Amino acid sequence: AHKEGTNQPPPGTTYTTQTYYTGKNTTMFDGVVDGVVASLKDNSLVGNMERDCGQHFWRKFFIFWLVFLVVWNFTKVPYYIQFDANGDDPYEVGGITGSINMIHWFDGFDSSRLHSPACNFLLVHISFGSTVLIMMALTLVKTTWRRKYGKWFFTFAILLGVHTIPAALGMNQFPLRVLFTFACVYVIVSALFGFRTLKHYDEDPIKSEKHLLIEYILITIGAYGAGFAEFTVLFFKIKHRLENGEWRSYPNYPDPKFGHSLYDQLPEKVGMTIFFVWFAVFWFFWPIKLLGIDTRVPAVEAQKNKEGVTDETTALMT
């Protein structure tokens, strides 16, 4: 008699090409389903969410917002390049505004006027600031890069602070003038302390890593400051639009200081040139130069070692 719980099929069991005995009837489609389920579990997009998103959640959260601001600022670049301070377009006559991308995306959107030029300040500011933010994001991915590329990071931070000081000093509202000038100064000071930490790193690596983290965070907060202020203002503009059915309006004339800042002493093509050269060097050439190429496939390597296969590269080297 057949005993339940054993792997023996009951008397009279017949077999077809679509069934096999595992204690229950199974069709050929079950294997397909199992394969799909296994594939989804291993898939990097919809796989183990707890493992991929739960671990280091806050690190990934901050990485998202760092990258988001960089992408957001990049959407403004074409409009900054297009802007002509001496143009006769209605928008150009009224002066350059904050959130210039929103001006072109949404009819009726308006914003306060800026006193700094599009290329010599804003494009260069994006160059330095975006580089600092991305480097911070990368150190959240791999901590050892904090020391390895620290000299570059702190150099870029100083450039960002120094370049922004004239714009901060030119702010029309005194509280904002003090706030942004202070942010520029403390970014520079934090970078100088960062160089000091790197110099004495080997004396106490644990302490130095803590100091580097603090210095990186302080600099990142300063670099993110203008973005945070912009998003805050955008929140209230969108709220006004939802409550009143129209965008808040602003005077349609340039800021009185527009065209008379320190940045305006040079033609706008200087800022545009710096922008393109900066990205050609630090966003294209440098990453490609540092990119490590790994052509090894573990399964293939294991099979070659097992079979004693010598590939062309090995043959050339021996």
Side-chain angles (χ1 to χ4, degrees):
H2 172 67
K3 296 181 180 179
E4 294 186 3
T6 67
N7 289 327
Q8 298 177 356
T13 299
T14 58
Y15 298 90
T16 68
T17 57
Q18 295 183 353
T19 64
Y20 61 93
Y21 187 75
T22 60
K24 62 179 182 179
N25 290 334
T26 308
T27 68
M28 61 184 294
F29 298 104
D30 291 330
V32 175
V33 173
D34 292 340
V36 171
V37 172
S39 177
L40 290 175
K41 288 182 178 179
D42 295 335
N43 187 279
S44 60
L45 181 62
V46 294
N48 192 325
M49 296 296 289
E50 181 179 356
R51 179 198 64 199
D52 297 335
C53 297
Q55 295 180 8
H56 305 297
F57 170 80
W58 288 110
R59 279 178 178 258
K60 295 182 179 182
F61 177 81
F62 290 126
I63 289 171
F64 169 82
W65 285 107
L66 290 171
V67 175
F68 178 83
L69 179 57
V70 172
V71 174
W72 173 261
N73 284 330
F74 264 84
T75 64
K76 304 175 186 177
V77 169
Y79 306 120
Y80 286 146
I81 294 175
Q82 172 186 319
F83 184 83
D84 182 4
N86 299 315
D88 54 4
D89 180 90
Y91 172 72
E92 294 171 333
V93 171
I96 193 168
T97 66
S99 303
I100 189 173
N101 48 355
M102 296 284 286
I103 293 285
H104 290 81
W105 293 348
F106 297 97
D107 292 336
F109 180 87
D110 201 1
S111 185
S112 58
R113 270 51 183 176
L114 304 179
H115 62 273
S116 298
C119 295
N120 284 354
F121 175 69
L122 293 168
L123 279 186
V124 178
H125 186 72
I126 288 176
S127 302
F128 297 156
S130 297
T131 305
V132 167
L133 294 178
I134 288 297
M135 291 186 73
M136 176 61 183
L138 291 174
T139 64
L140 292 175
V141 175
K142 190 168 185 177
T143 305
T144 56
W145 288 343
R146 196 178 294 149
R147 180 194 183 190
K148 185 174 183 180
Y149 300 108
K151 291 181 179 179
W152 289 101
F153 179 83
F154 296 131
T155 299
F156 298 155
I158 292 175
L159 290 174
L160 175 64
V162 171
H163 178 260
T164 310
I165 285 178
L169 291 173
M171 299 290 289
N172 294 321
Q173 300 179 19
F174 180 76
L176 293 179
R177 188 185 314 160
V178 173
L179 178 62
F180 280 95
T181 302
F182 171 76
C184 294
V185 173
Y186 97 71
V187 163
I188 296 171
V189 172
S190 298
L192 294 176
F193 272 97
F195 280 113
R196 180 179 179 276
T197 302
L198 291 174
K199 182 178 180 181
H200 300 283
Y201 185 93
D202 292 325
E203 298 174 8
D204 190 343
I206 295 178
K207 181 180 179 180
S208 296
E209 278 295 333
K210 292 180 180 178
H211 287 183
L212 283 177
L213 177 60
I214 293 172
E215 289 147 4
Y216 267 71
I217 290 175
L218 289 175
I219 290 171
T220 303
I221 292 174
Y224 210 101
F228 180 78
E230 180 183 6
F231 293 147
T232 302
V233 173
L234 276 176
F235 170 79
F236 288 106
K237 289 179 179 177
I238 295 174
K239 181 181 178 182
H240 182 275
R241 173 70 174 79
L242 294 174
E243 292 176 349
N244 300 279
E246 60 181 7
W247 296 103
R248 186 188 301 274
S249 61
Y250 293 81
N252 190 33
Y253 53 82
D255 185 284
K257 297 178 182 178
F258 184 71
H260 306 288
S261 68
L262 180 62
Y263 309 102
D264 293 296
Q265 303 306 309
L266 296 172
E268 284 281 75
K269 62 182 180 182
V270 174
M272 194 180 303
T273 301
I274 293 174
F275 172 80
F276 283 114
V277 171
W278 182 273
F279 276 93
V281 174
F282 294 108
W283 282 68
F284 289 94
F285 170 76
W286 195 29
I288 291 175
K289 177 180 178 296
L290 297 176
L291 190 64
I293 306 298
D294 187 359
T295 60
R296 296 173 299 174
V297 180
V300 174
E301 293 293 327
Q303 182 178 354
K304 287 182 178 180
N305 292 334
K306 183 178 180 180
E307 298 176 356
V309 177
T310 303
D311 61 16
E312 295 180 0
T313 303
T314 305
L316 291 173
M317 295 177 61
T318 56

